[in-house]
Amino acid sequence: MKTNIKDILLKYPEGAQENLIPVLQDVQEVEGFLSKESVISVSNYLKMPASKIFGVATFYNQFRFAPLGKYHIQVCRGTACHVLGSLTVLQEVEKFIGVKSGSTSRDGLFSLEEVACMGACGLAPVISVNGNFHAKVTSESISEILENYRKQEQI
Ligand code: FES
């Protein structure tokens, strides 16, 4: 068991399955995602099957099962962005990086997450890449924006 995970688990009573969500949140905060190894550690400590933990964790959008990419893309799915086409934006991003929301591209370069209102509704639809906002994005501008990040890796 990794030291960090062990420290997290010891904050909670052994076998107290009602703490599953806070335990997973703590693990993800430390590791950045829920690794298979960590889920097994949680499973042993809370005395519940790992398959059940995966089942619960996949139900919640907040949990990730892979490390974030070098460039973490957040697509706003708040109301203003939705009305102005954020679903199409999301689909374009998924097409460009080759994975669905909640995942990381195979080359580890990009990860994608849908988020609620980012507080910049006047600039909708909005995406953020590592915290840098891109305003009024369109399905056409997505490729250009993401291609620029990809090019930075080839310099
Ligand atoms: S709804 Fe997207 S920034 Fe507010």
Side-chain angles (χ1 to χ4, degrees):
M1 194 183 296
K2 286 184 195 171
T3 309
N4 283 338
I5 300 303
K6 190 176 173 187
D7 290 345
I8 291 168
L9 294 176
L10 290 174
K11 288 177 8 189
Y12 298 91
E14 195 170 355
Q17 299 182 1
E18 67 275 15
N19 291 318
L20 177 62
I21 299 297
V23 169
L24 294 179
Q25 286 169 333
D26 287 357
V27 170
Q28 181 161 281
E29 196 176 316
V30 169
E31 289 198 323
F33 70 106
L34 300 178
S35 66
K36 190 175 167 190
E37 186 187 43
S38 298
V39 169
I40 290 169
S41 298
V42 173
S43 161
N44 291 334
Y45 191 78
L46 294 184
K47 311 208 180 312
M48 63 192 298
S51 57
K52 189 170 178 188
I53 295 175
F54 276 114
V56 171
T58 47
F59 179 78
Y60 293 95
N61 283 342
Q62 64 180 297
F63 295 116
R64 306 182 49 79
F65 300 99
L68 293 181
K70 181 168 184 183
Y71 298 103
H72 184 56
I73 306 163
Q74 293 178 308
V75 174
C76 180
R77 291 287 290 131
T79 307
C81 288
H82 176 74
V83 168
L84 292 168
S86 67
L87 180 59
T88 309
V89 167
L90 178 69
Q91 290 165 340
E92 282 301 318
V93 174
E94 288 177 336
K95 202 163 93 185
F96 187 91
I97 69 174
V99 291
K100 294 284 183 194
S101 175
S103 308
T104 301
S105 61
R106 292 174 77 180
D107 58 6
L109 204 53
F110 296 106
S111 51
L112 173 61
E113 176 186 21
E114 293 171 65
V115 294
C117 178
M118 297 167 92
C121 306
L123 304 173
V126 179
I127 69 166
S128 130
V129 182
N130 289 356
N132 297 313
F133 277 44
H134 296 271
K136 298 185 188 293
V137 291
T138 61
S139 43
E140 294 75 37
S141 69
I142 288 296
S143 319
E144 199 179 318
I145 291 165
L146 298 181
E147 195 55 54
N148 281 334
Y149 285 103
R150 188 173 271 163
K151 275 184 192 154
Q152 287 177 29
E153 295 307 302
Q154 295 161 349
I155 295 171

